[in-house]
Amino acid sequence: MPNVGKSTLFNCVSSGKAQSANFPFCTIEPNVGSTNVPDKRLEVLADICQPKRTIPATVEIVDIAGLVKGASHGEGLGNQFLANIRECDAILHVLRCFDDGNIVHVDGSVDPVRDMGVVDTELQIKDLETVENRIKKVEKMATTGGDKEAKKLLALLLRYREVLLQGRSCREVVPENAEEEEMAKQLYLLTNKPVMYVCNVDEASAVSGNAYVDAVREAVAGSGEILVLAARSEAEIAEIEEYEDRQMFLEEMGLSESGVVRLIQGAYKLLGLRTFFTAGADECRAWTICAGDKAPRAAGVIHTDFERGFIRAEVIKYDDFVSCARGMSADELRGDAGARVESALRASGRLAVEGKDYVVQDGDIMHFLFNV
C-alpha cells in the first residue's frame, strides 16, 4: 500500500535512492538498486587469505509504486504497478504495523491484515484474468486438436483457476513434476511468486513486534515468511558511518544485527539462491547459484567457458578450510595463505574431487578444471 515505508526501507537497503514523502504515490517510476548480501563467511575467508579484493554476492531490489483497491482494473497506478511486479522474481510486501497520526494512511486507519488482503486480492484478480485468457487460447487445442502439451497446460491452468476463484494464491498449487514447474514459470503469475511480509514497526516494537504483527502472523499462518523491522530506525542506523557506533545503536534497541541485514539475507533465501566461494591471494569472492545447481552450472557462473569445457571441480568445505587455517601458525600461512591451507587439506584428504553430477552445497569453496 502507499505510505507504509517502502521507499524509506529501500533507501536503507539499496545503492539506489528513492524519494520518500508523506503522501500517496510518492513513488511513481520504479527505483532499482543493488545491494551486497552480508555474509560473515566471506569476511572470515578474506581475513585468512588477505586478498587484493573481496567481492560479495549481490541482489537487486526494486521499489515500486503503492497499490490501492481496484488496481487490477487500473485504479491508482494499478496497471503500471502490476507490470513492475511481473518482472520481479519475489515480493517483499511491506505492511504498516505502527501508529503515527502524522503519516497519512490511504484508508484512514492502520490495519495491516486488511492492507495485506487488498494487495493479495488485486494480484489474484489480475492472475485470474491472465489464467482465463490462457484457458481460452489452449482449450480448443487441447480438446479438439489433441495437442498433448496443450492438455497438460490446460490441466495446470484449471487448477490455478480453482484456487483463484476461492480467493487463494497460485503459490498454493504445487507443480506435480519438472515439466509443470517449467510451464508455471512461463505463465509469470503474480501470486505464484514467493513472498515475504515485512512488518514495519515503531522502534519500541523492533525486537518482539506488537499487536499488529501478531495479527499478521495469524493471518499468514505459514503461507509466507514474516520479518519485523523498524524502517525509520534502520534509516538512522544507515547514516552512522562507524561500525562500533552502529553496533551500539543496535544494542540500545535490543538487537544483535540490523533488520536490513536480516531482510537482505531473507530475500536471498526467498529467491532460492545459494553461495559458493573462490578464495585466494588475488580475490575472495561469493558467487550466486540456485539451490540444486550442479558443478558445471556453478562453473558457468564464473565464465561460460568453464561450464562448456568442465572437467572436474575441487571442493573444500568452508568449516574445513577455516579450522585448518586456524590450526596453522603465522609462519605456515606466510605468503599465499589460501594456497597453503588448500595444500594442507589436500594432503589430509579433505579436498574432494567432484564430477558433473555433484550438487554444489551452500558455502563450498571451489576450484574448477576445464578444457575448451
Side-chain angles (χ1 to χ4, degrees):
M1 299 283 281
N3 276 20
V4 299
K6 296 187 302 300
S7 295
T8 299
L9 187 56
F10 174 82
N11 289 338
C12 297
V13 172
S14 170
S15 58
K17 287 297 177 184
Q19 183 184 3
S20 175
N22 182 23
F23 58 86
F25 306 116
C26 172
T27 301
I28 297 177
E29 292 298 322
N31 298 292
V32 182
S34 64
T35 186
N36 295 337
V37 179
D39 195 323
K40 291 181 180 178
R41 296 173 300 181
L42 182 62
E43 295 175 17
V44 172
L45 291 176
D47 186 55
I48 293 169
C49 298
Q50 296 295 308
K52 295 174 183 175
R53 58 185 178 272
T54 302
I55 304 176
T58 61
V59 64
E60 191 173 83
I61 305 288
V62 184
D63 171 39
I64 60 180
L67 177 149
V68 294
K69 190 173 183 179
S72 56
H73 301 296
E75 290 294 325
L77 299 171
N79 291 328
Q80 184 174 332
F81 173 97
L82 296 166
N84 292 335
I85 291 185
R86 200 177 299 281
E87 295 171 4
C88 296
D89 297 309
I91 299 170
L92 302 176
H93 185 165
V94 183
L95 296 166
R96 178 172 171 175
C97 295
F98 65 89
D99 292 307
D100 189 333
N102 294 318
I103 299 178
V104 177
H105 191 293
V106 290
D107 285 339
S109 62
V110 177
D111 186 341
V113 175
R114 176 201 59 207
D115 294 351
M116 181 171 60
V118 168
V119 173
D120 287 348
T121 297
E122 294 303 323
L123 300 184
Q124 290 161 7
I125 291 171
K126 198 65 179 180
D127 274 353
L128 184 58
E129 178 186 311
T130 301
V131 168
E132 293 282 15
N133 288 338
R134 289 302 299 270
I135 287 174
K136 289 175 184 176
K137 289 182 179 179
V138 303
E139 200 164 24
K140 189 174 181 180
M141 297 167 59
T143 54
T144 60
D147 187 321
K148 291 183 179 179
E149 294 303 312
K151 285 182 179 179
K152 293 176 184 177
L153 178 56
L154 178 61
L156 180 60
L157 288 166
L158 291 174
R159 282 157 56 203
Y160 280 137
R161 182 170 70 177
E162 183 180 352
V163 299
L164 289 166
L165 287 171
Q166 295 172 7
R168 294 155 57 203
S169 295
C170 291
R171 68 181 68 90
E172 295 185 33
V173 176
V174 180
E176 294 179 353
N177 49 52
E179 188 178 8
E180 270 200 355
E181 191 172 341
E182 187 57 36
M183 286 191 292
K185 287 179 184 177
Q186 297 305 315
L187 291 171
Y188 296 101
L189 296 171
L190 303 171
T191 64
N192 217 9
K193 300 177 185 295
V195 61
M196 176 187 290
Y197 295 99
V198 182
C199 296
N200 184 13
V201 300
D202 57 277
E203 182 177 326
S205 305
V207 176
S208 55
N210 54 30
Y212 292 132
V213 175
D214 293 340
V216 172
R217 285 197 179 103
E218 186 176 344
V220 171
S223 62
E225 300 291 326
I226 292 178
L227 185 140
V228 179
L229 54 72
R232 184 178 292 177
S233 299
E234 294 292 335
E236 294 176 14
I237 293 169
E239 294 296 323
I240 301 173
E241 294 184 3
E242 295 296 327
Y243 173 80
E244 291 78 8
D245 292 341
R246 287 201 303 271
Q247 289 303 115
M248 189 179 300
F249 191 115
L250 288 169
E251 287 173 10
E252 288 174 358
M253 290 177 64
L255 298 170
S256 58
E257 62 181 356
S258 79
V260 163
V261 168
R262 290 183 287 114
L263 178 67
I264 298 168
Q265 292 173 337
Y268 197 72
K269 292 178 181 177
L270 190 68
L271 290 165
L273 302 177
R274 300 292 184 269
T275 300
F276 75 90
F277 301 103
T278 51
D282 288 332
E283 178 183 280
C284 281
R285 183 163 182 167
W287 300 89
T288 300
I289 56 172
C290 293
D293 277 355
K294 294 182 178 180
R297 179 68 61 85
V301 171
I302 298 176
H303 197 288
T304 52
D305 285 351
F306 285 25
E307 181 173 10
R308 191 166 69 250
F310 179 88
I311 298 173
R312 64 182 182 272
E314 296 182 340
V315 183
I316 298 171
K317 296 304 177 184
Y318 169 81
D319 288 343
D320 286 342
F321 188 95
V322 174
S323 64
C324 179
R326 288 175 174 167
M328 297 171 72
S329 67
D331 285 339
E332 289 173 312
L333 290 173
R334 185 168 287 116
D336 187 341
R340 291 179 179 276
V341 173
E342 183 181 321
S343 178
L345 289 168
R346 190 189 299 273
S348 64
R350 287 184 288 172
L351 183 151
V353 177
E354 304 287 357
K356 293 182 178 181
D357 292 329
Y358 176 71
V359 177
V360 180
Q361 301 300 302
D362 187 59
D364 280 351
I365 300 168
M366 306 187 74
H367 292 294
F368 299 100
L369 283 80
F370 70 101
N371 182 27
V372 176

